[in-house]
Amino acid sequence: MKLIFAIVSNDDSGMVSAALTKGGFSVTKLATTGGFLMAGNTTFIVGTEDENVDKVIDIIAKQSSRRSQMVPSATSMDVGMYTSFPVEVTVGGATVFVLSVDRFEKV
C-alpha cells in the first residue's frame, strides 16, 4: 500500500478532486500555502494499492497544468527606496510524494 501526497495549485484543485473521485479514489484535501509565492495550494492525500499509484499520478498530471504568470517583484534602490516590476514565473503543475505504508486500518 502507498500513501500519495500531491500539492497542486488552488486553480487546479477542483478538477483534480473531481477526477480522483470519479476514478474511484478516496481523497483528503488540505488547504496549504506555498513558500515561494505565498499563494494558496491544496494538498491531496490518497491511500491506494501499489498497482494504482501510476493511475493516481496520471489523473493528477492531466488535471494540473503548468502555466506562466506575471507576479510583482520588489527591488531595493541605494537610498532605501523600493521599486516594483513584474517577473514571469511558472505556476501550476503538481509536486507528488509517494510513501510506503507499513500498516493501514480503518476503524
Side-chain angles (χ1 to χ4, degrees), residues 6-78:
I7 304 164
V8 303
S9 168
N10 277 348
D11 295 339
D12 301 325
S13 173
M15 293 182 298
V16 170
S17 180
L20 287 170
T21 302
K22 186 176 178 182
F25 297 100
S26 297
V27 61
T28 299
K29 291 173 37 172
L30 301 173
T32 53
T33 303
F36 177 60
L37 297 175
M38 296 302 193
N41 294 321
T42 300
T43 299
F44 290 94
I45 304 172
V46 182
T48 190
E49 297 301 327
D50 293 16
E51 61 269 11
N52 292 329
V53 169
D54 289 335
K55 183 176 179 184
V56 171
I57 293 173
D58 187 51
I59 290 170
I60 293 167
K62 286 181 180 174
Q63 302 300 324
S64 302
S65 59
R66 289 191 144 197
R67 54 206 169 270
S68 293
Q69 179 178 323
M70 299 300 281
V71 296
S73 175
T75 185
S76 174
M77 306 283 270
D78 288 340

